[in-house]
């Protein structure tokens, strides 16, 4: 019987088994709530568990660069851990039998395998400030441990990924083109975008003042961190976007995803706010995890980073809505607009509270 329509993995299962020496009876099941790659848990007959991922070619145009970066990051972190300078577990790539770190199939898909980190779980939202603090500390320690990697050893896998100037330009292009004929219905959201543009000169001034470029994670969402059964953060995952960036973006991404009590697509805008206790936990964990990495310029602009990243994602949701929903996955036609409204509400809340929040950042 041909069951390949029910099991899209059917066509590649044999090739994966040969490449990694798996038994024909190895079982595959979906793992986690990641939105980018296709992630599977592989259980072999002998009890071995591994994580198999198919890289998303739409998001990563140069998978070879992604894999070079992953190798450089995991081996550097492994050395840091062995030397006692990094306290967290490190993802381990499992090479194919031929010694390659990924398998490229004839259909052009890229597959790679990591050791499964046992007895861990991920969370999509933080209810307890202690979890926010643990997450911030882990992502900060990750960036601090990567500070010793020579700058040129990590490629820019998605050029200008968080760059606010380039993201604003793309939004302007989408607004001008009005491809889906939606600009007229988005007047208030476009006004928010114009207000956001007021931050750009300050961002450019920060770069001129020497804001450091560092190797950062660039996708510091809570579900990119494995927690053990005692609730301790144990391992940073999802290394594909590790590239040169700013600590302000990593901190900002965490602020954007962990401070509001409701998810980014909630339409209950009255609920969108900055939870002070979570902000205090985030700032304390981040400063602690960074050790002496954080310069005064970075420390003083962490809340600015939160405003910037939140505004950038609001711009991206809005631009995608104006463009006719070509990038973010949606479940209904207004989905991206609802996300944009939610993120502009969070942006406004951060703006309003910026001074008070920045005063909660510990001196380090
Ligand atoms: N090595 C691993 N051990 C255990 N769980 C993992 C491992 N790698 C990934 N996961 C789980 O799979 C999910 C998706 O993986 P991730 O690399 O974040 O993919 P995506 O880029 O799609 O977000 C993670 O959120 C986590 O729950
Ligand atoms: Mg992920």
């Amino acid at each position: 019987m041909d069951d390949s329509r029910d099991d899209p993995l059917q066509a590649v299962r044999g090739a994966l088994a040969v490449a990694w020496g798996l038994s024909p009876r190895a079982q595959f099941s979906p793992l986690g709530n990641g939105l980018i790659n296709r992630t599977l848990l592989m259980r072999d007959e002998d009890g071995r568990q591994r994580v198999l991922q198919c890289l998303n070619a739409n998001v990563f145009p140069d998978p070879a660069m992604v894999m070079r970066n992953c190798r450089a990051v995991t081996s550097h972190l492994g050395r840091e851990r062995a030397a006692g300078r990094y306290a967290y577990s490190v993802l381990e790539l499992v090479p194919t039998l031929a010694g390659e770190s990924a398998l490229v199939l004839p259909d052009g898909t890229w597959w790679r395998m990591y050791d499964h980190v046992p007895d861990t779980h991920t969370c999509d939202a933080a209810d307890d400030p202690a979890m926010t603090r643990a997450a911030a500390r882990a992502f900060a320690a990750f960036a601090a441990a990567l500070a010793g990697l020579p700058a040129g050893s990590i490629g820019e896998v998605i050029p200008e990924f968080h760059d606010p100037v380039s993201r604003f330009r793309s939004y302007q292009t989408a607004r001008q083109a009005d491809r889906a004929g939606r600009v007229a219905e988005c007047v208030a959201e476009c006004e928010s975008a114009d207000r956001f543009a007021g931050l750009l000169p300050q961002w450019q001034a920060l770069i001129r003042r020497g804001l450091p470029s560092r190797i950062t994670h660039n996708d510091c969402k809570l579900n990119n961190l494995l927690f053990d059964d005692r609730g301790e953060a144990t391992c940073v995952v999802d290394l594909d976007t590790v590239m040169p960036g700013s600590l302000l973006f990593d901190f900002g991404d965490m602020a954007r995803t962990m401070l509001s009590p409701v998810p980014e697509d909630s339409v209950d805008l009255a609920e969108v706010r900055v939870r002070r206790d979570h902000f205090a936990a985030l700032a304390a964990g981040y400063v602690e995890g960074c050790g002496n990495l954080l310069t005064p310029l970075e420390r003083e602009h962490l809340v600015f980073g939160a405003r910037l990243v939140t505004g950038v994602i609001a711009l991206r949701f809005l631009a995608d809505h104006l463009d006719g929903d070509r990038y973010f996955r949606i479940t209904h036609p207004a989905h991206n607009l609802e996300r944009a409204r939610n993120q502009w509400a969070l942006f406004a809340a951060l703006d309003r509270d910026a001074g008070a929040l920045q005063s909660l950042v510990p001196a380090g």
Side-chain angles (χ1 to χ4, degrees), residues 34-35 219 221 223-224 237-238:
L35 293 178
D219 192 11
K221 286 201 302 270
N223 68 13
N224 284 331
V237 302
D238 209 344

Side-chain angles (χ1 to χ4, degrees), residues 151-198:
S153 55
I154 298 294
E156 197 179 2
V157 282
I158 308 176
E160 303 185 320
F161 185 48
H162 281 301
D163 184 63
V165 176
S166 130
R167 292 296 188 182
F168 187 72
R169 227 180 278 128
S170 307
Y171 150 75
Q172 282 181 309
T173 307
R175 179 178 176 169
Q176 205 103 54
D178 197 11
R179 187 196 296 267
R182 290 169 164 174
V183 168
E185 303 156 12
C186 301
V187 174
E189 291 73 25
C190 291
E191 279 170 11
S192 297
D194 292 338
R195 272 196 296 282
F196 167 84

Side-chain angles (χ1 to χ4, degrees), residues 31 34-37 39 51 53 91 115-117 122 223-224 238:
L31 180 65
L35 293 178
I36 303 301
N37 299 313
T39 305
V51 174
Q53 286 185 314
L91 280 185
D115 264 338
H116 179 252
V117 184
T122 44
N223 68 13
N224 284 331
D238 209 344

